[in-house]
Amino acid sequence: MSLSEPVSDPLARHTIRRLTWRLIPFLCLLYLVAYLDRINISFAALQMNQDLGLSAVAYGTGAGLFFLGYVLFEIPSNLILQRIGPRIWIARIMVSWGLISMAMALTQGETSFYVLRFLLGVAEAGFFPGIIFYLTGWFPARERARAMALFATATALAGVIGSPLSGALLELDGAWGGRGWHWLFVLEGLPAVLLGLVVLFKLPDRPDQARWLPPDERDWLNRTLAREREANSARQRQTLGEALGSLEVWRLGLVYCCMVIGMYGIGMWLPQMLRAMTRASDFTLGLLNALPFLAAALGMVLIGWHSDRRGERRWHVAGSLALAASGALWAATTQSLPLALLAFSLAALGVWGVMGPFWALATSFLSGTAAAGGIALINSLGNVGGFVGPYLMGWFKQMTASYSAGLVAVAVILLAGGALVLSSTSARDGSAQD
């Protein structure tokens, strides 16, 4: 069945609808909490940097060190997940990262800041690629861009919900002798621990373990997924060695790196860039910060839906990256708060809109152990950008006393990522083969 062929069978439609409603909202909640714990440092910095005497480069380095720990442990984590099952391993990931996120409140200076951010990355390593791998075991290929885009909207929703929440928590400054950023880390880290326990008891590893899936729908899903695996076995890479040695896996990893540089280069500095334009309270600043993330959520759903409808991946990825680059360039040239919000919203819409079509493309030519290792490798290479982006912005800010040069550099990198995906042979194949 071609990627663009619609799901016309009523049994298929009902099954996909049931899967979407039962899995995606819960997985979105998990990723929302994960992403919030990852980026809440951007709001904590409004108070923490001054308290701890952190320079722009020190903050950018610490913000990015999360991704160093994440990258180093991501492939081993995803291979363990495949071996022991998603339920146990995802629960372990969530409980450990929640505890370390809460421990961020104990930061005393530059060294402890670096250590805790690195450990947070180690704890969370494997979560996102693990969920992407998990979804390939539930959704047929023709439905994955939409499913993955809906799941990944949690990153944008974390900004929509987390920005005003983080701003409000900062205003607890002085309550029971704690600073606002202390309360932020403790109260935003606790949900990860609690949800990890829910995962342990509630998340099914495979469709045949889902009691909420009627027998006829379970049989249709198992037959469909088995037929896809059989049809793809001759052309897909199956082993870990094939995935790690694939030029296309490395190329897509570099594309993802460019995207992540834009995502975190802007996202980790957005509250401070907006603070430079307004003297609003922390809570109001949180509301303003939420607007680009609202645009990002909209972009993820619409672009993922359109990619599935048209049966095309590569141009959706490249076009979204070009849109993000135009927003970053616009933001670099304006000092007007309303125009800056529009520019950042355009950048967010583009860079987050890449997620659905990109991951549908990246999973179109891998299966089995190759899928677990290949997805983790792509995500690992991509998350190197999570270190580069914040550090790059901090370096340009310290060297030029302005955010403009950093935004221009981010825009150039986003355009390079778009050009790279257009040169990818797997990108051409993926559109036709899904």
Side-chain angles (χ1 to χ4, degrees):
M1 181 176 290
S2 70
L3 177 64
S4 57
E5 182 178 341
V7 179
S8 57
D9 178 24
L11 177 61
R13 288 201 308 270
H14 293 158
T15 305
I16 296 302
R17 187 179 301 118
R18 191 185 304 274
L19 290 179
T20 301
W21 282 106
R22 291 302 297 258
L23 291 179
I24 298 299
F26 181 63
L27 295 177
C28 275
L29 177 62
L30 301 185
Y31 196 32
L32 186 152
V33 171
Y35 198 78
L36 184 59
D37 285 343
R38 182 184 300 186
I39 66 169
N40 58 13
I41 191 71
S42 65
F43 267 89
L46 296 173
Q47 294 179 358
M48 184 185 68
N49 286 3
Q50 183 175 356
D51 286 358
L52 303 181
L54 299 179
S55 67
V57 169
Y59 166 74
T61 301
L65 274 173
F66 166 92
F67 297 95
L68 181 58
Y70 195 96
V71 165
L72 290 175
F73 289 87
E74 186 150 20
I75 292 178
S77 178
N78 224 35
L79 294 175
I80 293 172
L81 180 145
Q82 189 206 22
R83 180 179 295 272
I84 71 174
R87 178 178 58 85
I88 294 175
W89 196 244
I90 290 173
R92 192 286 304 165
I93 289 173
M94 295 194 66
V95 171
S96 59
W97 102 53
L99 292 173
I100 295 173
S101 183
M102 295 171 71
M104 285 291 297
L106 302 176
T107 304
Q108 298 295 313
E110 193 171 303
T111 300
S112 57
F113 177 50
Y114 290 167
V115 169
L116 286 169
R117 285 293 292 178
F118 177 81
L119 291 177
L120 185 63
V122 172
E124 195 185 319
F127 178 75
F128 178 78
I131 296 294
I132 293 295
F133 177 70
Y134 179 73
L135 290 174
T136 65
W138 290 81
F139 286 88
R142 65 180 178 270
E143 297 293 323
R144 284 180 195 160
R146 190 173 71 92
M148 292 175 182
L150 287 172
F151 162 64
T153 54
T155 63
L157 291 175
V160 174
I161 297 170
S163 294
L165 175 63
S166 296
L169 291 176
L170 285 181
E171 295 191 351
L172 290 176
D173 192 37
W176 290 284
R179 292 284 280 142
W181 61 274
H182 294 158
W183 288 110
L184 184 153
F185 284 128
V186 171
L187 296 180
E188 290 186 353
L190 181 61
V193 178
L194 301 178
L195 284 170
L197 299 178
V198 175
V199 167
L200 187 61
F201 294 103
K202 293 295 184 181
L203 187 70
D205 283 323
R206 305 180 304 275
D208 57 14
Q209 296 177 349
R211 297 180 180 178
W212 43 263
L213 201 58
D216 58 340
E217 296 182 5
R218 185 185 302 116
D219 291 343
W220 174 86
L221 182 60
N222 285 329
R223 287 197 310 272
T224 301
L225 294 173
R227 188 163 57 246
E228 284 186 356
R229 287 192 294 268
E230 183 178 352
N232 293 334
S233 60
R235 65 175 175 82
Q236 286 186 328
R237 293 167 176 83
Q238 300 284 323
T239 68
L240 178 61
E242 287 178 310
L244 299 185
S246 168
L247 175 62
E248 296 310 314
V249 168
W250 287 86
R251 190 197 308 263
L252 289 173
L254 291 176
V255 173
Y256 196 47
C257 181
C258 293
M259 188 202 84
V260 172
I261 286 173
M263 180 179 288
Y264 290 108
I266 294 174
M268 289 290 194
W269 285 92
L270 185 56
Q272 294 181 70
M273 288 189 284
L274 293 178
R275 170 67 82 198
M277 298 181 181
T278 177
R279 295 182 179 180
S281 68
D282 290 333
F283 178 70
T284 301
L285 190 66
L287 294 176
L288 295 175
N289 195 81
L291 295 177
F293 288 98
L294 190 61
L298 179 66
M300 293 177 82
V301 174
L302 291 179
I303 293 172
W305 170 82
H306 193 264
S307 176
D308 274 346
R309 184 176 178 85
R310 295 296 299 271
E312 200 285 325
R313 307 304 189 199
R314 149 174 99 115
W315 284 100
H316 282 79
V317 172
S320 296
L321 290 173
L323 189 66
S326 66
L329 287 173
W330 186 12
T333 59
T334 182
Q335 294 300 315
S336 165
L337 179 61
L339 291 180
L341 285 171
L342 285 174
F344 285 128
S345 296
L346 185 65
L349 189 152
V351 79
W352 266 269
V354 172
M355 297 288 280
F358 176 84
W359 282 110
L361 168 63
T363 57
S364 68
F365 66 105
L366 298 167
S367 64
T369 303
I375 291 169
L377 176 58
I378 291 170
N379 201 54
S380 294
L381 291 171
N383 278 290
V384 171
F387 176 81
V388 174
Y391 179 83
L392 192 67
M393 289 290 294
W395 186 85
F396 275 112
K397 174 63 168 64
Q398 192 152 310
M399 293 298 103
T400 67
S402 170
Y403 296 107
S404 296
L407 289 169
V408 171
V410 165
V412 171
I413 292 169
L414 290 170
L415 290 173
L420 191 58
V421 79
L422 292 179
S423 71
S424 171
T425 58
S426 68
R428 295 188 185 96
D429 295 340
S431 295
Q433 290 175 350
D434 281 1

